[in-house]
Amino acid sequence: MKENKVYKVIAILLSIVMIVLMAIFAYQLIKMDILPQNLFIPVILIFVLISLILILWINLMAHGVVSKVFAMIFVLLYTVSMGIGNFYVYKTDGFMQKVTDHKIGDVKNTVSIIVMDDSNIKDLSSLKGKKVGRLNNVDKVGTNKLLKSVKKKKGSNYFKTKKFDGALSEVEALYNGEIDAMILNESYRGNVTSVEEYEHFSTETRVVYSTSYYTTKKNDSLVVSDITKNPFTILISGNDTTGDVSELSRSDVNMLVTINPKTSTILLTSMSRDTYVETVCDADGDTACPEGQMDKITHTGIYGLNTTRQTVEKFYDLKVNYSFRVNFTSVIDVVDALDGIDLNVEEGEQCDLFWANMKPGLPVGLHHVDGETALAFARERKAYVDGDYQRVRNQQKVMQAIINRAISSSALVNYTSFINSLESAFETNMTYDEITDLIKYELQAKPDWKFETYQISGLGDELMCASLGQAASVQVPDLNTVRIAREKIEAVMNGKSSSTVAEDGEPEYNYYPSQSTSTSTDYLTPEVEDDNVYTDQIQQDQTTYDPEGGYYPSDTEEEYTPEY
């Protein structure tokens, strides 16, 4: 009799828990609005029916000991499953809220004081009386933020500063011992390491002090009235940072994704990270941004996502509706959260050594790899004849492997870790409602998506890059392929296949907007050559720049004579 009463109490408690979990589950589905109407009602009815049957079974239909034991086991399993399901839905909702939360003031900037690795300077306290380099006309805001932070901690004139007009001349001074330390915005680190002479800058130096601040920016979208019916274009901008996705950094991946829901067509349009473009600066962005100057598309990322987007829009002569900022180095966390991914390395994709981490590469064959290896494979270019082109293909292969692993049943084992890793992997200006509308459209219409791809081409050269202040390896775009890319995007937007656009025409190159185009090698030579121009400046100060005599800083603390 006593066992009977205990059983009834437990049965009633489990029934209440089931009802509560069912109510929470229904509330979360309604709040997320992720299921189409024709699926939402059946899903809720199925769970209500199962719950009702189990409640009746455990309270009224289970009489014998065996029946009660089985009823208890089934109810416990169902209750635990409902609890886990509710937690997964809650985590998914939180993840979507976070990645679509593009409020003002969320762009992170980090400025560091850097010394040589073998320096006896260990921390901020060791810098007293030392000579520290700083940039003259670039990132004044960030530099001043750091100096104010030092002043607050150590007082005024704690160390001496020497101004430089370019990051590379500042780095050279650090290597030569002219200065004891240097101040550098971390978004410029990639620009330094991209120069062969300083490609090991990050391992040959170390940070002894840094400060971070957030800029007041908002990444607005060009909203589509109904994202499930009207075509739209997304810019995928891939940061090369190892930290927060919101931190300013070079944009190593710049891909346009054009989606037409009516025709179920997705066009991927890619360009090399070294594509030589005219910089279009964000009006509310970094004041040091070189408006109208030529540079690699990857360097636009250090001035913010809006600068990259506006530069891409001018380059293709079209408008971008939405943008996704992706931190590809967070591939490590995502892949590891999935317990690795499978990569089928085909002939021509193998390499003996990964340049990214200097570890053994992957031979031809099927490999189950961890996050570090997946990232190294996605970043590899030096091992291939066609460099950046193969790197883009490797990135696509890694992304496909992640998606395949994520939608498999094995992903459920580490679902929370996977969601947590995604939260820091990307952010978007697409709204929560727009994403859920797309999910509902996918669940309801089940479109058979057709993927089409195109990549613009160009010629390699070494030309002046505004953000570096010196010549660097670039890819001068073939404007004919840029025209074809634009027409393919327009074709998909208009309900046609991109294959309807002919890929013909003579190559056309133009590395300065004001220059007439030519198919000969003349495009490599500027219209005006001035050997006296000091090429180690990042941003010209018009009040002190003399085209005939070069660039002379007007307010350096020490006499500074550039070498021509």
Side-chain angles (χ1 to χ4, degrees):
M1 184 66 71
K2 185 177 181 180
E3 290 79 0
N4 237 359
K5 288 182 178 180
V6 172
Y7 172 81
K8 286 183 178 180
V9 171
I10 294 175
I12 292 172
L13 288 175
L14 285 175
S15 299
I16 294 173
V17 170
M18 270 194 292
I19 293 172
V20 171
L21 289 176
M22 184 66 243
I24 293 173
F25 182 69
Y27 167 75
Q28 290 198 114
L29 288 182
I30 293 171
K31 178 176 176 287
M32 289 184 68
D33 193 23
I34 202 170
L35 291 177
Q37 199 66 28
N38 66 332
L39 287 179
F40 175 76
I41 295 177
V43 166
I44 294 298
L45 285 177
I46 289 171
F47 279 101
V48 168
L49 184 60
I50 293 174
S51 299
L52 182 60
I53 291 173
L54 290 177
I55 289 172
L56 290 174
W57 184 16
I58 197 171
N59 286 282
L60 301 176
M61 300 169 65
H63 298 298
V65 174
V66 176
S67 179
K68 288 179 180 179
V69 170
F70 273 102
M72 190 72 73
I73 292 173
F74 273 96
V75 169
L76 280 172
L77 288 174
Y78 179 75
T79 304
V80 170
S81 299
M82 282 291 292
I84 294 173
N86 269 308
F87 179 69
Y88 282 178
V89 173
Y90 169 77
K91 288 292 294 182
T92 304
D93 181 52
F95 154 70
M96 291 177 58
Q97 292 282 3
K98 183 172 181 178
V99 299
T100 58
D101 183 18
H102 43 89
K103 294 179 180 178
I104 289 176
D106 61 353
V107 180
K108 186 179 181 182
N109 301 260
T110 300
V111 189
S112 301
I113 298 179
I114 299 171
V115 300
M116 296 302 297
D117 188 53
D118 59 358
S119 170
N120 58 7
I121 298 173
K122 303 300 180 184
D123 51 31
L124 187 59
S125 299
S126 309
L127 283 168
K128 186 174 182 179
K130 300 293 186 181
K131 187 181 292 184
V132 180
R134 59 164 293 182
L135 293 176
N136 187 21
N137 291 308
V138 177
D139 192 43
K140 287 184 177 180
V141 174
T143 300
N144 289 336
K145 290 275 188 184
L146 183 137
L147 292 175
K148 285 181 179 179
S149 176
V150 172
K151 181 179 179 180
K152 186 176 180 181
K153 292 177 180 292
K154 299 295 183 180
S156 302
N157 303 318
Y158 188 68
F159 49 65
K160 301 174 184 178
T161 60
K162 180 176 180 178
K163 295 181 180 179
F164 294 87
D165 298 301
L168 296 180
S169 60
E170 185 186 25
V171 172
E172 182 182 7
L174 179 67
Y175 273 63
N176 292 339
E178 296 175 32
I179 54 177
D180 302 299
M182 61 178 283
I183 298 172
L184 188 71
N185 192 310
E186 287 295 340
S187 63
Y188 285 88
R189 181 181 289 270
N191 289 1
V192 174
T193 57
S194 66
V195 177
E196 186 174 358
E197 186 179 356
Y198 303 118
E199 63 179 347
H200 300 300
F201 175 77
S202 293
T203 56
E204 293 172 344
T205 64
R206 53 187 167 83
V207 174
V208 294
Y209 182 75
S210 65
T211 186
S212 296
Y213 66 97
Y214 292 81
T215 52
T216 304
K217 294 182 183 178
K218 185 174 181 179
N219 182 21
D220 292 321
S221 59
L222 184 62
V223 177
V224 176
S225 58
D226 187 341
I227 205 167
T228 66
K229 295 179 180 178
N230 300 313
F232 56 94
T233 295
I234 300 172
L235 168 65
I236 306 293
S237 176
N239 284 3
D240 69 344
T241 55
T242 55
D244 194 330
V245 69
S246 67
E247 184 141 10
L248 289 179
S249 178
R250 295 184 302 175
S251 182
D252 269 10
V253 176
N254 299 279
M255 181 186 297
L256 289 179
V257 182
T258 306
I259 302 174
N260 191 321
K262 284 188 176 180
T263 60
S264 301
T265 302
I266 298 177
L267 170 64
L268 308 179
T269 307
S270 301
M271 67 166 74
S272 163
R273 65 188 290 275
D274 291 337
T275 302
Y276 204 47
V277 297
E278 179 184 358
T279 307
V280 181
C281 298
D282 178 12
D284 300 320
D286 191 332
T287 56
C289 180
E291 175 70 38
Q293 297 185 41
M294 302 301 292
D295 210 330
K296 300 182 184 186
I297 184 64
T298 183
H299 291 163
T300 62
I302 65 179
Y303 305 109
L305 183 56
N306 278 341
T307 292
T308 300
R309 176 178 56 79
Q310 292 171 21
T311 300
V312 168
E313 287 180 334
K314 181 167 185 177
F315 181 75
Y316 286 108
D317 190 22
L318 50 77
K319 288 294 182 182
V320 173
N321 298 99
Y322 305 101
S323 58
F324 276 72
R325 181 161 51 187
V326 182
N327 187 340
F328 273 96
T329 54
S330 59
V331 164
I332 294 176
D333 295 332
V334 173
V335 172
D336 287 343
L338 292 170
D339 278 342
I341 58 173
D342 294 324
L343 287 178
N344 184 23
V345 178
E346 300 176 19
E347 190 66 41
E349 297 175 345
Q350 75 275 20
C351 64
D352 297 326
L353 183 72
F354 286 132
W355 177 82
N357 59 3
M358 303 306 291
K359 291 187 177 181
L362 296 175
V364 173
L366 183 64
H367 306 274
H368 188 77
V369 302
D370 61 7
E372 184 181 357
T373 305
L375 176 62
F377 181 75
R379 295 180 62 188
E380 185 58 49
R381 66 185 175 93
K382 292 195 173 184
Y384 307 116
V385 175
D386 53 354
D388 275 336
Y389 292 110
Q390 184 58 49
R391 172 159 59 179
V392 170
R393 292 191 286 269
N394 285 2
Q395 290 169 353
Q396 292 172 342
K397 177 163 286 195
V398 169
M399 186 60 65
Q400 184 177 354
I402 290 174
I403 293 173
N404 289 337
R405 184 74 169 177
I407 62 178
S408 68
S409 57
S410 59
L412 293 175
V413 178
N414 298 305
Y415 182 78
T416 54
S417 298
F418 177 56
I419 288 295
N420 288 337
S421 64
L422 282 181
E423 285 182 358
S424 59
F426 73 91
E427 60 184 28
T428 178
N429 61 0
M430 189 175 285
T431 67
Y432 184 100
D433 290 340
E434 287 169 329
I435 291 179
T436 55
D437 283 345
L438 279 177
I439 295 174
K440 284 190 292 185
Y441 172 73
E442 176 69 26
L443 292 172
Q444 188 170 16
K446 295 182 178 62
D448 183 16
W449 293 106
K450 300 181 290 292
F451 284 86
E452 301 175 352
T453 61
Y454 187 72
Q455 186 170 12
I456 67 167
S457 61
L459 289 178
D461 194 20
E462 190 160 321
L463 299 171
M464 174 62 64
C465 292
S467 61
L468 280 178
Q470 72 170 43
S473 175
V474 302
Q475 186 180 85
V476 181
D478 175 0
L479 298 185
N480 183 55
T481 63
V482 176
R483 172 191 61 79
I484 293 171
R486 180 175 61 254
E487 291 179 1
K488 284 179 175 289
I489 292 172
E490 291 171 349
V492 173
M493 295 285 282
N494 292 328
K496 301 176 183 177
S497 169
S498 65
S499 61
T500 60
V501 177
E503 298 181 20
D504 55 9
E506 293 297 320
E508 181 182 355
Y509 302 101
N510 178 17
Y511 91 102
Y512 266 98
S514 59
Q515 230 178 297
S516 59
T517 59
S518 172
T519 56
S520 70
T521 56
D522 291 342
Y523 82 92
L524 299 176
T525 306
E527 289 183 350
V528 178
E529 276 195 27
D530 188 348
D531 293 334
N532 291 327
V533 175
Y534 179 39
T535 60
D536 194 25
Q537 65 192 76
I538 291 182
Q539 180 72 6
Q540 296 175 353
D541 182 345
Q542 298 300 328
T543 61
T544 57
Y545 181 72
D546 179 3
E548 298 300 324
Y551 181 82
Y552 299 94
S554 58
D555 57 350
T556 50
E557 295 177 17
E558 300 181 17
E559 186 68 20
Y560 186 60
T561 305
E563 297 179 1
Y564 298 100

